[in-house]
Amino acid sequence: MKIQILGTAAAEGWPALFCNCEACRRAREKGGKNIRTRAGTLIDDQLLIDFSADTYGNALRFGLDLSRIHTLLVTHDHEDHLYAEDLGTRYTWFAHLDARSPETLLVYGNDRVGSQVSRGTFSYGGPGGRVAFRRVVPFRTEEAHGYRFTALTALHDRSQQCYLYLVEDAAGKRMLYGHDTGLFPQDTMDFLAGKHLDFVMLDCTNGPEAEGTNHMGFPDDVEMRDRLRAIGCVDEKTQLIITHFSHNGKLLHEELEALAAPEGFRVAYDGAIFEI
């Protein structure tokens, strides 16, 4: 399984759009891995998790062919995870697909994601045909083009049911998309118990500070790793990645690496590719 992390920032991006704080000024000066766009992760160039307004720019930046994507998993309807208007450009006037492109992009998420998809595609013909919505049921495993995926409950926006995603490929490799969330709810921990994870991405919005109730900081990531280890999900072979960073956490990429490496974590950056 190839995992490419397209965007690694929280909602405001980093440098933030209208911000001139020290962390944003330093990021602009240093550039490189310190330039962070909003969330998205691509699996094997064909299954996408989250679809921010930065998806188009990142497709150009990293040379991606998004016409090959057959499945889009959406965690929740915040705009840094779903910019539904761009889904309308998959319709026939804007997108001429070839024989290797799936006719329909299936979008999975909660009811509010479905409403956003309907609104975003309305002027292009509405959902159906080139874009179709499927409501996920927590802890029910779905199958798509050789992948199995399960929506797990997250601790995030209380006005909607937000999800994490467990994705498994045909070879049995498992990755966990573990943000946006605080410390995992007990029902998610119960579902994961005994399932070995090859790759774990965890929220680190708060940088070096613990938070745990809506997002996480690095102390929460360490605690989450230990909890997952205790229930048989994580071992020395598991790749541990932190992502979803806010400028309010203040640490630039190299500083995050210095914090994370002693605990066995790697720090995501835009465009990073991992193999499991």
Side-chain angles (χ1 to χ4, degrees):
M1 182 188 292
K2 182 179 85 169
I3 300 166
Q4 184 169 13
I5 303 177
L6 307 183
T8 59
E12 67 275 17
W14 192 352
L17 188 59
F18 297 106
C19 186
N20 196 31
C21 73
E22 181 183 1
C24 287
R25 291 198 306 270
R26 293 174 63 209
R28 289 188 184 100
E29 291 167 1
K30 288 182 173 291
K33 295 177 181 179
N34 297 296
I35 304 300
R36 299 184 181 276
T37 61
R38 276 73 63 90
T41 292
L42 185 60
I43 298 174
D44 294 332
D45 299 317
Q46 57 185 311
L47 187 154
L48 182 64
I49 310 178
D50 283 337
F51 187 80
S52 78
D54 294 322
T55 304
Y56 173 67
N58 283 332
L60 299 178
R61 185 181 177 192
F62 304 126
L64 307 177
D65 182 357
L66 299 187
S67 75
R68 303 293 184 244
I69 295 172
H70 52 69
T71 303
L72 169 61
L73 309 179
V74 182
T75 55
H76 58 301
D77 80 337
H78 292 174
E79 286 193 2
D80 58 321
H81 294 261
L82 177 63
Y83 185 68
E85 285 79 358
D86 275 354
L87 292 174
T89 64
R90 202 177 189 277
Y91 281 76
T92 54
W93 180 259
F94 302 99
H96 306 291
L97 303 179
D98 64 25
R100 294 197 299 144
S101 300
E103 180 62 25
T104 301
L105 171 64
L106 292 178
V107 183
Y108 291 84
N110 64 24
D111 288 333
R112 279 179 35 176
V113 168
S115 296
Q116 293 276 22
V117 171
S118 295
R119 178 186 57 78
T121 61
F122 177 76
S123 60
Y124 306 102
R130 288 289 184 90
V131 179
F133 173 72
R134 299 286 184 269
R135 180 180 179 274
V136 295
V137 176
F139 308 112
R140 185 175 75 187
T141 299
E142 310 270 2
E143 296 191 11
H145 297 264
Y147 295 89
R148 292 162 52 87
F149 63 89
T150 310
L152 313 177
T153 56
L155 188 64
H156 191 47
D157 180 355
R158 277 35 169 207
S159 70
Q160 63 180 301
Q161 180 57 72
C162 302
Y163 293 116
L164 315 176
Y165 283 99
L166 177 67
V167 179
E168 181 177 346
D169 69 8
K173 296 293 185 180
R174 291 194 186 108
M175 72 88 71
L176 177 65
Y177 187 86
H179 67 91
D180 295 23
T181 187
L183 296 168
F184 294 0
Q186 188 59 49
D187 53 2
T188 288
M189 296 297 288
D190 291 343
F191 182 87
L192 288 172
K195 297 179 176 66
H196 180 263
L197 303 173
D198 299 285
F199 186 90
V200 176
M201 294 172 58
L202 292 178
D203 186 289
C204 196
T205 305
N206 286 63
E209 303 297 328
E211 199 279 316
T213 65
N214 191 58
H215 284 291
M216 291 191 280
F218 191 65
D220 304 305
D221 298 326
V222 173
E223 179 178 346
M224 201 67 256
R225 175 204 62 194
D226 292 344
R227 290 188 185 186
L228 290 169
R229 180 182 289 156
I231 60 172
C233 297
V234 166
D235 60 18
E236 68 281 357
K237 296 179 181 179
T238 304
Q239 296 188 51
L240 301 168
I241 312 297
I242 53 173
T243 189
H244 201 272
F245 304 106
S246 169
H247 64 154
N248 293 309
K250 300 180 180 178
L251 300 183
L252 296 189
H253 187 82
E254 290 183 357
E255 296 162 340
L256 285 164
E257 287 184 319
L259 177 69
E263 293 289 350
F265 286 82
R266 285 186 284 177
V267 179
Y269 57 89
D270 286 18
I273 296 176
F274 302 91
E275 298 277 352
I276 61 172

